[in-house]
Amino acid sequence: MSGIKPRLDKFDISDNTGQHQPTCSLEEKMADRQNGDLASIRHSISHIMAEAVLQMFPEAKIAIGPAIENGFYYDFDLPRALKPEDLTDIEEKMKEIIKGNHDFVKKVISKEVALKLFKSQPFKVELINELPENEEISIYTQNSFTDLCRGPHVANTNELDPGSFKLLSIAGAYWRGDEKNKMLQRIYGTAWKTAKDLRTHLNWLAEVEKRDHRKLGKELDLFSLHEEAGAGLVYWHPKGARIRSTIEDFWRKEHFRDGYELLYTPHIGKSWLWEKSGHLGFYSENMYAPLNIDDQDYYIKPMNCPFHILIYKTAIRSYRDLPLRWAELGTVYRYERSGVLHGLLRVRGFTQDDAHIICTPDQIEDEIRNVLRFSLKIWDAFKFKDIKAYLATRPEGSVGEEARWEQATESLKKAIGKENLEYTIDEGGGAFYGPKIDLKVRDAIGREWQMSTIQFDFNEPERFDMKFMDNDGTEKRPYMVHRALFGSLERFFGVLIENYAGAFPVWIAPVQVMVIPVAHTLDEYAGNLRKQLLEQEIRVEADLSDNRMNAKIRTAQQQKIPYMLIVGEKEEKEGAVSVRTRTGEQKNMMKTEEFIEFIKGKIETKDLI
RNA sequence: GCCCUUGUAGCUCAGUCGGUAGAGCACAACCAUGGUAAGGUUGGGGUCAUCGGUUCGAUUCCGAUCGAGGGCUCCA
């Protein structure tokens, strides 16, 4: 294994390292394409920001300031740390500059002139010296500011709307992203064509904040984290646990239906196992220090695969036994640097919805296709329709026979094709142990999340000498595929909370129905209704508190409970309920039996409400 | 890990230019309460993250530690 540069995503089928940053919405992307000049607007505004910063700090050293998704940034080396209030001042100066109707003037200059011009700007000098010899060196000037720049820019600041940008945050960033370099101060901003576009984007950011799973997790009493007891470790409260158990039940049922078997394996294993699997060689920086038990080192598992392989090897497997589809909700622990921990989305302990498919070469294409179809079915149940595939192929320095890589990659391609999925090929982007498909799903507000992953593994079957007896009487090496659909239950839960903004579909909602009597005299009827619904396996509560009905409705609304059953004397007399949905719809005097059938239907079809 | 910001009641936050703190929600008790998003009164609740320094006195000022939030990929 030595000599192979490990990739951090080794078997990281939970995608615990997956990006969780919002990307822009489809509409924005379309708009971007239509207006290629949005990038030049952003880039121009970043130059103007640099000018404003230089007005404040003439001794500032400027680094780079590109246009990025939704905006721009510029990195500076400044005499003091920026305060959030500084951003307002900088914005004011920028607006003044924009109103000055300054031209952006391009000039092509020689390297010598460039070096002289930027002699007091060490970062620029470094960049100039690294430019290829034949590259044209250009500078752009507006007003009092000149920057080394490839362009393009708008022709004049009058093409910019002073109300169409906003400085958002200050962040530390290493020069050239390398932590060995100096830490610079980065100012992020967002910029658009018009003030209206800016408002739209700011509203979108507000929506993102409103949906933050950490905030909703508290408000809806779903989960908590206890840094004093260990960072990145999730505590599921009763309501969160209800949701998890509903998801797990569904997950198990679908797996059995799709020909999987379930496994349960231990949480720790002796060091020889992790040496053999290679994890101690290439994954140890993500593993916790061993426990010493009876003079033996045991490691907490960061992955489930070695355990599944041990089960595989408890018998001589025939081609007649294959394919094996073994799934486990396996809880693993991985070290993540403290700075990257983030709510449920990036944690140190999590439960993967892991599975390993072990099959013959003949079966591989069907198996992959089956996994894809299965994933799509699962995503469909959660009403995620916009799914994209990313196919990562063989990188440099990988392990495994060429023929196997080819067959594997080919089978991945064919499977994607047959499922009519939109896909992108990431040439050489696979892990060293095999090619893979990642699936990204788009949420309700247009963000993409990498969730499912299907990965070939040519490494562990070799290391563990996995075999099967083929029909010609010879022992052969099976294919092994790791796959996870949700990735981890924790992360999936976080994404679900944000996707639904806490208003879970009825089938997932921890409390599906709240019975609200209009007065204490109706408490008995409310209590009986509750029992009646409970017997039908509906998750129901009755609010028999001293609060007035209005307050009870408010509380139920805030808890985003899908159905409220408001009952008074009329309802009691008729054996009926008045239904109010959290969306404000109303249906009075529905027979209780009718409501039960109605909600069961909603649960069955997995409707939002 | 590194940079910036930040840590006050269960939650959301105010406040103390240094004299050991306050609101709303939540919680408890009592009263009130019959129709679609907050009824009222009273009350309990805080070593102001931790440790150290300065000071007659520190929650407040200084330092360290621990935690949290935003970043650390976008190449002139």
Side-chain angles (χ1 to χ4, degrees):
Chain A
M1 192 43 42
S2 57
I4 293 167
K5 180 88 180 122
R7 291 174 55 97
L8 272 185
D9 60 349
K10 165 70 181 168
F11 305 148
D12 191 2
I13 65 175
S14 70
D15 185 36
N16 199 37
T17 57
Q19 59 115 29
H20 57 259
Q21 286 310 306
T23 56
C24 68
S25 76
L26 191 60
E27 291 70 32
E28 286 161 5
K29 280 220 171 92
M30 302 281 285
D32 267 355
R33 252 177 250 130
Q34 284 156 14
N35 313 307
D37 53 358
L38 200 47
S40 76
I41 287 175
R42 289 170 177 161
H43 195 182
S44 301
I45 291 181
S46 103
H47 277 214
I48 289 164
M49 180 170 76
E51 178 174 4
V53 169
L54 276 172
Q55 284 177 7
M56 277 178 76
F57 305 100
E59 66 276 53
K61 304 299 175 208
I62 56 174
I64 58 167
I68 54 172
E69 198 163 42
N70 301 333
F72 59 90
Y73 69 78
Y74 213 113
D75 288 346
F76 307 94
D77 185 15
L78 300 174
R80 69 163 171 86
L82 286 170
K83 296 184 293 255
E85 306 89 82
D86 293 327
L87 294 185
T88 325
D89 296 346
I90 296 169
E91 273 181 9
E92 284 314 308
K93 285 186 201 296
M94 290 170 67
K95 282 178 186 162
E96 267 168 48
I97 296 167
I98 290 174
K99 285 178 193 153
N101 295 335
H102 304 292
D103 285 330
F104 275 85
V105 182
K106 179 181 180 180
K107 213 165 132 190
V108 176
I109 56 175
S110 70
K111 187 171 174 180
E112 289 67 35
V113 175
L115 285 171
K116 206 177 280 175
L117 191 62
F118 290 103
K119 64 177 183 295
S120 60
Q121 289 293 349
F123 301 115
K124 297 295 177 188
V125 168
E126 190 177 326
L127 292 169
I128 294 166
N129 281 326
E130 286 178 17
L131 285 175
E133 280 308 320
N134 51 358
E135 178 122 349
E136 174 185 285
I137 298 181
S138 61
I139 55 172
Y140 275 83
T141 302
Q142 94 275 356
N143 198 19
S144 67
F145 178 75
T146 297
D147 200 356
L148 178 72
C149 184
R150 181 191 292 141
H153 283 281
V154 297
N156 186 290
T157 60
N158 63 18
E159 291 178 35
L160 305 170
D161 178 343
S164 71
F165 75 92
K166 186 169 166 55
L167 302 187
L168 295 177
S169 60
I170 305 159
Y174 298 102
W175 167 236
R176 305 196 136 180
D178 185 340
E179 50 188 283
K180 290 188 204 74
N181 289 338
K182 183 162 188 162
M183 170 81 59
L184 306 174
Q185 298 193 66
R186 174 172 296 180
I187 302 176
Y188 279 101
T190 182
W192 302 83
K193 214 167 182 167
T194 63
K196 188 167 165 254
D197 290 349
L198 172 67
R199 263 199 312 279
T200 306
H201 182 67
L202 293 179
N203 286 341
W204 186 80
L205 288 180
E207 183 64 33
V208 168
E209 207 179 318
K210 224 165 61 192
R211 288 168 177 255
D212 191 316
H213 71 281
R214 293 165 301 179
K215 188 169 156 262
L216 287 168
K218 246 181 223 170
E219 287 172 7
L220 303 178
D221 196 14
L222 301 174
F223 69 90
S224 58
L225 296 157
H226 300 264
E227 60 271 15
E228 73 279 14
L233 303 170
V234 180
Y235 293 67
W236 298 70
H237 295 202
K239 291 202 168 79
R242 270 292 187 158
I243 293 174
R244 174 166 171 169
S245 108
T246 304
I247 293 170
E248 285 185 1
D249 288 347
F250 168 72
W251 183 92
R252 272 188 284 266
K253 202 173 106 198
E254 291 299 326
H255 276 74
F256 285 135
R257 187 178 283 176
D258 206 60
Y260 285 79
E261 291 300 331
L262 289 194
L263 305 180
Y264 292 94
T265 62
H267 288 72
I268 58 174
K270 283 187 189 175
S271 54
W272 73 262
L273 184 68
W274 305 105
E275 273 154 25
K276 182 132 186 141
S277 69
H279 287 97
L280 280 178
F282 54 69
Y283 202 73
S284 55
E285 68 269 34
N286 285 288
M287 293 169 67
Y288 291 102
L291 309 166
N292 195 277
I293 302 169
D294 289 344
D295 277 338
Q296 296 270 350
D297 280 346
Y298 286 74
Y299 286 87
I300 303 174
K301 68 175 169 184
M303 294 180 195
N304 304 301
C305 30
F307 296 90
H308 290 198
I309 293 172
L310 289 185
I311 295 177
Y312 181 83
K313 287 178 65 91
T314 56
I316 295 193
R317 307 287 174 180
S318 151
Y319 72 97
R320 297 172 194 272
D321 300 327
L322 304 183
L324 291 169
R325 303 179 191 133
W326 285 349
E328 175 176 15
L329 292 169
T331 303
V332 298
Y333 291 85
R334 297 178 184 174
Y335 174 72
E336 297 282 350
R337 295 192 299 174
S338 63
V340 305
L341 298 176
H342 181 88
L344 295 176
L345 301 181
R346 196 77 180 266
V347 294
R348 284 179 172 162
F350 52 95
T351 300
Q352 295 182 302
D353 68 319
D354 203 357
H356 295 98
I357 292 160
I358 302 166
C359 66
T360 70
D362 291 349
Q363 295 164 332
I364 193 66
E365 194 180 317
D366 279 348
E367 285 305 303
I368 295 293
R369 193 173 170 197
N370 190 57
V371 172
L372 263 186
R373 196 185 310 131
F374 186 51
S375 316
L376 294 178
K377 182 179 168 195
I378 300 291
W379 287 116
D380 190 58
F382 291 92
K383 311 283 192 244
F384 287 93
K385 306 280 188 193
D386 189 355
I387 293 164
K388 270 190 241 158
Y390 293 79
L391 172 64
T393 63
R394 183 167 201 171
E396 299 285 317
S398 48
V399 302
E401 298 157 33
E402 182 60 35
R404 299 195 128 217
W405 272 86
E406 257 170 42
Q407 191 190 3
T409 310
E410 209 38 50
S411 64
L412 288 176
K413 256 184 219 168
K414 277 192 190 152
I416 297 177
K418 283 181 180 161
E419 293 308 317
N420 290 320
L421 268 172
E422 189 189 325
Y423 75 107
T424 310
I425 294 187
D426 180 5
E427 220 43 81
F432 74 85
Y433 50 83
K436 63 170 181 176
I437 297 174
D438 288 331
L439 297 184
K440 287 191 186 178
V441 308
R442 191 180 286 284
D443 76 7
I445 57 170
R447 296 175 297 179
E448 271 192 354
W449 304 83
Q450 196 197 304
M451 306 298 292
S452 310
T453 185
I454 304 166
Q455 305 186 354
F456 272 89
D457 185 356
F458 299 137
N459 182 48
E460 283 178 301
E462 286 292 329
R463 290 173 156 268
F464 282 97
D465 194 25
M466 291 166 74
K467 289 180 281 206
F468 71 94
M469 185 64 75
D470 208 351
N471 59 1
D472 60 5
T474 62
E475 286 183 334
K476 291 191 179 143
R477 185 81 71 220
Y479 275 88
M480 179 160 99
V481 172
H482 309 257
R483 60 107 266 210
L485 306 182
F486 301 141
S488 86
L489 292 178
E490 284 75 6
R491 200 175 111 89
F492 177 60
F493 187 31
V495 172
L496 274 190
I497 295 170
E498 302 215 353
N499 179 62
Y500 295 123
F504 296 102
V506 201
W507 75 283
I508 304 174
V511 179
Q512 296 167 317
V513 176
M514 179 64 82
V515 183
I516 299 176
V518 300
H520 277 314
T521 50
L522 279 307
D523 281 0
E524 198 186 330
Y525 182 55
N528 289 338
L529 271 175
R530 180 178 155 269
K531 267 186 224 149
Q532 199 178 341
L533 294 179
L534 264 183
E535 271 164 25
Q536 301 294 321
E537 297 185 353
I538 292 162
R539 297 189 288 274
V540 57
E541 288 179 6
D543 187 346
L544 307 184
S545 68
D546 284 343
N547 289 318
R548 289 174 63 222
M549 181 204 60
N550 285 349
K552 292 178 183 176
I553 290 174
R554 182 165 192 267
T555 308
Q557 274 304 141
Q558 284 174 333
Q559 287 299 303
K560 303 179 196 284
I561 295 167
Y563 296 101
M564 283 157 263
L565 300 185
I566 291 146
V567 294
E569 204 179 326
K570 277 183 285 180
E571 285 81 0
E572 184 178 25
K573 215 177 279 171
E574 302 281 328
V577 295
S578 282
V579 185
R580 177 195 162 111
T581 68
R582 68 179 165 214
T583 51
E585 282 155 70
Q586 184 74 29
K587 183 144 198 289
N588 291 330
M589 300 304 288
M590 191 187 259
K591 289 282 183 208
T592 306
E593 290 72 25
E594 196 188 333
F595 174 72
I596 289 173
E597 286 318 303
F598 168 79
I599 191 171
K600 278 184 162 175
K602 292 295 186 181
I603 292 167
E604 179 64 29
T605 54
K606 300 191 169 51
D607 279 358
L608 195 54
I609 188 146

